[in-house]
Amino acid sequence: MKTEKIKISSTIETGIEKVWECWVLPEHITQWNFASDDWCCPKAENDLRVAGRYLARMEAKDGSFGFDFEAIYDEVAPMKKISYVMSDGRRAITTFESLGNEVKLTTEFDPEDQNPIDMQRDGWQAILDNFKKYVENLNG
């Protein structure tokens, strides 16, 4: 049975160019791509093109656990939409909607079957909230 997609979103108070840059450049990804302060993203690679590979290393700061998050892009529309297929076959689509001095960022993704839906939604939303905080702090 196929479960419906999980949807998360956030509105970031800055322009589309800055949001895009922080979302796709590895030097920014390593600064925000974790759900809590006891985790980190020590490494990120991003070949941002159709059939290009995305890789982010996620680790607990105490070294107790870590994993590679990998995906292959199947759609890249700069400053509008990114779609990829994760290494386990699940799909995620992120859209960027410019609202003048703000950007609404929305991600829809297929859930995995190892963890409860709420836990997955909360985890991905926490990463997106961390992204928002990081980008907005760059501005001020």
Side-chain angles (χ1 to χ4, degrees), residues 53-54 68-72 84-91:
R53 180 173 161 257
Y54 173 85
D68 289 337
F69 180 93
E70 292 184 74
I72 302 294
Y84 58 77
V85 178
M86 294 170 252
S87 55
D88 62 4
R90 296 180 300 129
R91 174 178 304 281

Side-chain angles (χ1 to χ4, degrees), residues 29 33 57 71 73 75 94 96 99 101 103 106 118 123 130 137:
I29 295 168
N33 193 25
R57 177 70 187 168
Y73 291 109
E75 185 177 353
T94 299
F96 303 76
L99 306 169
N101 295 331
V103 176
T106 303
D118 288 347
N130 206 32
N137 284 339

Side-chain angles (χ1 to χ4, degrees), residues 56-113:
R57 177 70 187 168
M58 317 282 275
E59 293 181 357
K61 285 183 179 176
D62 66 6
S64 63
F65 189 75
F67 64 94
D68 289 337
F69 180 93
E70 292 184 74
I72 302 294
Y73 291 109
D74 58 4
E75 185 177 353
V76 177
M79 292 184 261
K80 295 191 183 316
K81 181 180 180 182
I82 294 173
S83 174
Y84 58 77
V85 178
M86 294 170 252
S87 55
D88 62 4
R90 296 180 300 129
R91 174 178 304 281
I93 299 169
T94 299
T95 56
F96 303 76
E97 182 183 356
S98 181
L99 306 169
N101 295 331
E102 296 179 334
V103 176
K104 183 174 182 185
L105 191 60
T106 303
T107 298
E108 282 189 304
F109 65 97
D110 295 327
E112 39 93 348
D113 56 12

